[in-house]
Each structure stands twice: as C-alpha cells, then as structure tokens.
Amino acid sequence: MQTIPLSSLPALLHGHIGLIDHQDGVQPVRFPPAIGFMLDPLNALTATMTSGIRLRLVTNSSSLELVTQQTQLFLTEPEQWARNFEIYVDGNLYQQTPAIGGSFLTPGAAPEGESRAVLAFTGLGNHLKQIEIWFPQSSLQVIERVQIDSHATWETWKDDRRHILFHGSSITHGMEALGGSGTWPAVAGKLAGVNVTNMGWAGSCLLSALASKVIAQQTIDAAVLELGINIWDGGALNQRTLNDSVHGMISIIRDRYPTLPIVIVSPICSPTRETVGENGGLSLEQIRAGLKSAVDAHVLQGDHQIQYQDGLALFGLEDANLLVDGLHPNADGYCLIGERFAELHRNFLTVD
C-alpha cells in the first residue's frame, strides 16, 4: 500500500478549526491551538474531540486504512458512547464501524488501554469515487497514517459549499449520536447540502467572549448558536449577566461580520429544568426569555440578519421519551432536531 503524506492532511481534513503536530502524527481539534492554554480542562478536552471532523478525498483505491492514536471519552463505562467511524462513498453511507484498538478515558483519570487504533475499509471498487470519513464525535484522534492501494491515485476534494458553523453545548456536540454524521448539525447540513463545522463544546458553551472570538475568526457564511443549557448548571448566570453575555457574543461576532446570518437557538426541553434553576440560578424558561429578549433588541436596532429559534420547537416536551437522561437526546432525537431545523430554516441554510 502507499501512504498519503501527513503534510497533505491539512488539505484533506474538514470540520476542524486547528491542527496540532505531534511526533507521530497530526491531531485535528475544534479550537485554535494558540488559545489552548486559555481553555479550562473540561473545555480543552471536549473541544479536542473530533465531532464533525472528516477526511475527504477522491481516489480509485479499492481499500483504505487509517491508523490513529485514539482516546475515547466516557463518564459511566467505556462503551457509554458510540465510537464509530463512518465512510461515505459518493455520498452514500458505506460502513459504520469502530476502529480496532484505542484507549478509553474518563475525566480526572489516566487513559486505559493501548491508544493505537486501526480502521480498514475494503471492497470499495477500483473506480474513481469521492470518499468521506467521519471521525467519532466522542474521541480524540491523532492521525498517524492514511494508506491506499499501491497503484491507486488520489487527490484532494475541496468543499466549496456554503459554510455554516454551529456552536453549542453537548446537545450540539452530540455524544449520544451513532456517529459524527448523526449529530443534529450534521443532519441539518446534509439535508441542506452545506458544509458544516461543529463547534459544539460539551459542558462548555458558556456564552464566552473566547468562543465568540473563535467564531469571528473563522471563514464562514452563517452561524448557529445553541445557547443556554450550560449556564443552567450551577446557576452560572443571573438575568443581568445572561443579558450582558448574549449581547457580548453577538457584538464580538458583528465586529468581524456585520451582516452574517445568525440563528440563536435556546435550550431544548429538559423536563426537570424547565421551571427550576440550580443554586438559585435561572430556569430554562427564564433562559429562553432572556435569549429572545436579547435577539429582539438587536432586531429593533436594525439587525435583520439575526433571528431567534425556540428550542422547544426543535425538541419539546412531547419528545421527552427520546431523552436518555432527562437532558440529552438519543440518536433518533438528534436526527429529529436536525430535520426540524432544516425544515424551519431552509432559506437560512441554503441562501446567501
């Protein structure tokens, strides 16, 4: 087999924000490496996971092998979340499977197992085809080697489609999906035929200036901000600081992109959090009202490229049976959110 040079990975990888060079490979991450020291440990961990990251190329190879150093996150047990890679051939799902090998990590502990993971796809046919491999959404990946047939040809596959960045909590990150293409941003993006970057930072969407700056630095055509659920935890913000934080996020993005289309999505349904806050903090009902008020204020000031989406219209109380823990949707729930968002925001997703 022939090995594709690691130096070619920047042109083959999509959905990442930064790349970190290691002695044995290249690590795609969802934050600029220069700000890594500013992220708290949880944020640094979840933003390093490969949700929405994929490798794209055009080749006539009948097989493809990917070797990585893989670290799969878990909280309760090692197989808590799917660690599937997904390979699409000419736009159709060919196989969804975990790699052989890889280590497991729960926050605060040392990784368990050997990190080397091997993924082999065969029977792809020797015709010229477009290959897209989605990485697992709940793992860290350092790519050591990409190999194809010895006499096969390959070339980069650019993505010139409308580019939309999604930022949010674990709901956007999508740990419970069956694979990276099953998160709700990926589902909505596929239905709309657009290029998606998933900047969902599980447990770490804090309406921060830092996240806003990262978003503003990206070359994008639109942004979707799923906000609010992570500030429920611990009563992180009150009504005044919520208002200030939302306006701050919007203002930082507007400094770079005065007319960027933006949709702000409020929290989806979480039955036990709807009317009660934590530690005296805001309930989800109050958070939704605060987000809508902030968006309405910008619209009244003449910003007609921003809109509010009530999260309950994407996933409401009637859908609560699809929650795995009273907070996170299961795989079907994420698909439902993506489908509803694509239907409600068809023009936003597809029209410049």
Side-chain angles (χ1 to χ4, degrees), residues 259-271:
T259 60
L260 183 77
I262 298 173
V263 174
I264 290 186
V265 180
S266 66
I268 64 170
C269 177
S270 179

Side-chain angles (χ1 to χ4, degrees), residues 113 116 147 154 160 172 226 235:
R116 177 69 60 87
Q147 291 186 307
W154 67 274
D160 295 322
T172 294
E226 173 257 314

Side-chain angles (χ1 to χ4, degrees), residues 267-289:
I268 64 170
C269 177
S270 179
T272 61
R273 296 168 174 82
E274 288 297 320
T275 60
V276 178
E278 189 172 57
N279 293 341
L282 301 173
S283 68
L284 292 190
E285 289 182 352
Q286 291 171 315
I287 291 171
R288 291 189 194 99

Side-chain angles (χ1 to χ4, degrees), residues 159-176:
D159 195 338
D160 295 322
R161 297 173 298 174
R162 180 172 169 83
H163 184 194
I164 301 179
L165 183 146
F166 290 74
H167 173 57
S169 67
S170 55
I171 308 301
T172 294
H173 190 137
M175 298 281 204
E176 293 75 18

Side-chain angles (χ1 to χ4, degrees), residues 5 87 127 132 148 180 244 248 288:
I87 182 169
H127 60 288
E132 184 172 54
I148 59 175
D244 181 81
R288 291 189 194 99

Side-chain angles (χ1 to χ4, degrees), residues 11-23:
L12 297 178
L13 289 168
H14 297 258
H16 62 291
I17 290 176
L19 296 172
I20 299 175
D21 291 326
H22 294 261
Q23 182 176 354

Side-chain angles (χ1 to χ4, degrees), residues 8-171:
S8 298
L9 285 182
L12 297 178
L13 289 168
H14 297 258
H16 62 291
I17 290 176
L19 296 172
I20 299 175
D21 291 326
H22 294 261
Q23 182 176 354
D24 298 323
V26 175
Q27 182 177 25
V29 296
R30 298 176 303 120
F31 64 92
I35 72 160
F37 75 98
M38 304 181 197
L39 302 177
D40 68 66
L42 177 60
N43 198 167
L45 177 63
T46 58
T48 304
M49 295 177 189
T50 50
S51 186
I53 295 176
R54 57 253 185 224
L55 186 149
R56 293 161 52 99
L57 74 161
V58 178
T59 182
N60 59 1
S61 181
S62 64
S63 64
L64 188 149
E65 184 175 278
L66 179 67
V67 179
T68 76
Q69 296 174 29
Q70 174 178 284
T71 306
Q72 173 74 13
L73 184 72
F74 72 96
L75 295 178
T76 58
E77 55 185 354
E79 299 291 350
Q80 178 179 3
W81 295 305
R83 50 191 177 93
N84 290 322
F85 286 82
E86 299 165 298
I87 182 169
Y88 283 79
V89 178
D90 291 332
N92 299 308
L93 180 62
Y94 180 80
Q95 192 173 356
Q96 183 184 69
T97 184
I100 297 174
S103 63
F104 295 86
L105 173 70
T106 191
E112 304 172 7
E114 169 56 48
S115 63
R116 177 69 60 87
V118 179
L119 184 74
F121 296 110
T122 60
L124 302 176
N126 58 9
H127 60 288
L128 199 63
K129 53 196 165 290
Q130 296 171 326
I131 299 288
E132 184 172 54
I133 299 173
W134 288 74
F135 288 77
Q137 72 279 11
S138 52
S139 69
L140 288 68
Q141 302 283 338
V142 177
I143 303 168
E144 291 189 350
R145 189 166 66 247
V146 181
Q147 291 186 307
I148 59 175
D149 295 345
S150 298
H151 301 292
T153 63
W154 67 274
E155 60 185 80
T156 59
W157 179 21
K158 291 184 63 177
D159 195 338
D160 295 322
R161 297 173 298 174
R162 180 172 169 83
H163 184 194
I164 301 179
L165 183 146
F166 290 74
H167 173 57
S169 67
S170 55
I171 308 301

